[in-house]
Amino acid sequence: MKHYDYIEWLLYKNKMLTKEKLDEMEQHLFNCDTCMEIFLTLIDEEEVRSAGKFVTNNFTSNVIEKMPKLKIVKHKKKQKKKIFNYQFGYYVAVASVTIILTFGGFYTDLVDIVPKLSASIKVPNKSTNIIANFSDSIVDSTSSFLFSIENIDRNKRRKNIER
């Protein structure tokens, strides 16, 4: 949907467009809330006052009187009853399957089989964490480097003390 900008709506309001364009924009205005908001910002106080001269005080009551009487439609209880019947039917079906499985010994066999299955499953070795191994190797290398520097310093001190 193509939206019109503020300037286009200003031209529309002042009727400075072709008849076809005015009709097109009017139809768009009925369907687009965004453009309706833009158009409504163009209406100023003077226009509201001048429109008040044409609208009578009993305008609202006249419009309501001319509207046809609307019937209030009550929701049918049958629809709710149908939904209840469907839900009850599903409940009965699930309960029936559960009872059949219980009497057939499915759950008892399941309790016996699960420990056997869990014992037979082999857990694969965890994959090594490359980043953790890399950081460990850096720490080890740094520690050994510092340790070697300390040993060199100790060896020099010993040689100096022995002399």
Side-chain angles (χ1 to χ4, degrees), residues 84-96:
F84 176 75
N85 286 341
Y86 286 131
Q87 289 175 345
F88 183 72
Y90 289 131
Y91 175 75
V92 169
V94 169
S96 301

Side-chain angles (χ1 to χ4, degrees), residues 117-124:
L117 284 175
S118 63
S120 67
I121 295 175
K122 293 182 181 179
V123 178

Side-chain angles (χ1 to χ4, degrees), residues 61 63-72:
S61 59
V63 171
I64 291 176
E65 285 176 11
K66 292 180 181 180
M67 289 179 59
K69 299 291 181 187
L70 300 176
K71 293 181 182 179
I72 298 174

